[in-house]
């Protein structure tokens, strides 16, 4: 059984990951569509910027968020002065950090699914008078569902495991920003807390496996239904 302290870290992790994925999904679909369907000057640079968090050290991402979105950052200072809103030392900042880190996985999965959609189906719908928005909503988007499900769950799992960017940007505050990885870090640094760290390790492994199984299961179901349709 988990202690109240450990349960708090687990619930906070689920909350932060869920919020991050929820707000990232519309942007992820839009970016994937632009990369898969549009040709423009600077596309390679745009693609590189989206996937940059995959190769950057998470601490670097956290530092960049700190100097841009922190209370004294270039954007964060303006948000605080005008709206009284701050990402610093709060679960909202943690959600922003994990969203940035997990975003490339979401975009990549959705883009691969979109590139597999037969453009002839879209062209046929346009010849019948359907608007581009209607074509996207009624044809393209349903065919992208397997990729959207995969990208969403992979991003959720990655968000649950994020450590470096979170601790650099919003610190390690119990009840506010302390997710499972940060709680494990605290236990590892505390003498005699090996059993607590081990329990959270097992919880993290179970959640990660369940996420991967759910991704595979939902993708299979979506593909079967699309094939039947």
């Amino acid at each position: 059984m988990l202690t109240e302290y450990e349960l708090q870290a687990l619930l906070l992790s689920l909350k932060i990951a869920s919020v991050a994925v929820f707000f990232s999904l519309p942007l992820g679909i839009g970016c994937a569509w632009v990369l898969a369907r549009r040709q423009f000057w600077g596309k390679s640079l745009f693609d590189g910027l989206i996937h940059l968090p995959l190769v950057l050290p998470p601490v670097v991402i956290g530092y960049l968020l700190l100097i841009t979105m922190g209370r004294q950052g270039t954007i964060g200072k303006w948000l605080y002065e005008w709206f009284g809103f701050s990402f610093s030392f709060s679960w909202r900042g943690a959600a922003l950090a994990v969203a940035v880190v997990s975003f490339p996985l979401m975009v990549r999965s959705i883009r691969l699914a979109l590139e597999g959609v037969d453009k002839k189906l879209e062209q046929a719908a346009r010849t019948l008078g359907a608007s581009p928005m209607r074509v996207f909503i009624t044809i393209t988007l349903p065919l992208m569902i397997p990729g959207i499900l995969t990208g969403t769950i992979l991003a959720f799992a990655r968000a649950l495991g994020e450590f470096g960017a979170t601790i650099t940007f919003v610190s390690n505050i119990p009840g506010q920003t302390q997710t499972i990885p940060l709680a494990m870090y605290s236990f590892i640094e505390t003498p005699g807390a090996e059993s607590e760290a081990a329990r959270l390790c097992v919880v993290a492994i179970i959640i990660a496996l369940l996420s991967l199984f759910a991704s595979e299961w939902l993708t299979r179901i979506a593909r079967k239904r699309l094939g039947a349709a």
Side-chain angles (χ1 to χ4, degrees):
M1 296 293 293
L2 298 176
T3 65
E4 183 178 353
Y5 182 86
E6 296 163 350
L7 185 61
Q8 185 181 57
L10 172 60
L11 294 178
L12 185 61
S13 295
L14 295 174
K15 174 184 176 180
I16 289 173
S18 299
V19 170
V21 170
F22 178 79
F23 285 99
S24 296
L25 186 56
L27 183 60
I29 294 175
C31 290
W33 185 83
V34 169
L35 291 173
R37 288 287 191 264
R38 287 288 180 261
Q39 296 295 329
F40 54 91
W41 185 89
K43 180 178 178 179
S44 297
L45 177 61
F46 180 64
D47 190 11
L49 289 175
I50 288 177
H51 290 87
L52 195 59
L54 285 178
V55 295
L56 276 179
V59 174
V60 175
I61 297 173
Y63 173 74
L64 293 175
L65 287 173
L66 185 63
I67 63 176
T68 55
M69 305 303 294
R71 185 169 295 185
Q72 298 301 320
T74 52
I75 300 175
K77 184 178 181 180
W78 177 81
L79 289 174
Y80 184 71
E81 290 177 352
W82 285 84
F83 302 102
F85 180 85
S86 176
F87 286 105
S88 299
F89 308 111
S90 69
W91 70 268
R92 294 184 295 272
L96 176 62
V98 301
V100 172
V101 173
S102 62
F103 189 68
L105 292 174
M106 177 184 291
V107 173
R108 189 170 184 83
S109 297
I110 298 174
R111 179 184 179 181
L112 290 175
L114 182 56
E115 289 175 344
V117 175
D118 190 351
K119 294 182 180 180
K120 294 180 180 179
L121 297 174
E122 300 172 330
Q123 294 170 356
R126 292 193 186 99
T127 59
L128 294 174
S131 65
M133 180 59 68
R134 185 174 182 181
V135 171
F136 177 78
I137 294 175
T138 60
I139 296 177
T140 310
L141 190 59
L143 294 175
M144 292 165 54
I145 288 177
I148 293 175
L149 291 174
T150 301
T152 299
I153 295 176
L154 288 178
F156 179 80
R158 179 65 185 88
L160 285 175
E162 170 51 34
F163 173 81
T166 305
I167 197 171
T168 304
F169 181 38
V170 293
S171 189
N172 185 6
I173 306 173
Q176 293 293 325
T177 65
Q178 190 177 73
T179 57
I180 290 178
L182 273 63
M184 282 190 61
Y185 176 76
S186 296
F187 284 137
I188 292 172
E189 292 291 305
T190 303
E194 291 81 4
S195 60
E196 289 85 349
R199 280 200 300 268
L200 285 182
C201 179
V202 172
V203 170
I205 292 173
I206 291 173
I207 293 176
L209 287 175
L210 289 176
S211 299
L212 293 174
F213 291 152
S215 174
E216 182 68 20
W217 179 64
L218 291 173
T219 301
R220 288 181 181 178
I221 292 177
R223 286 175 177 170
K224 286 181 180 179
R225 292 186 176 180
L226 289 174

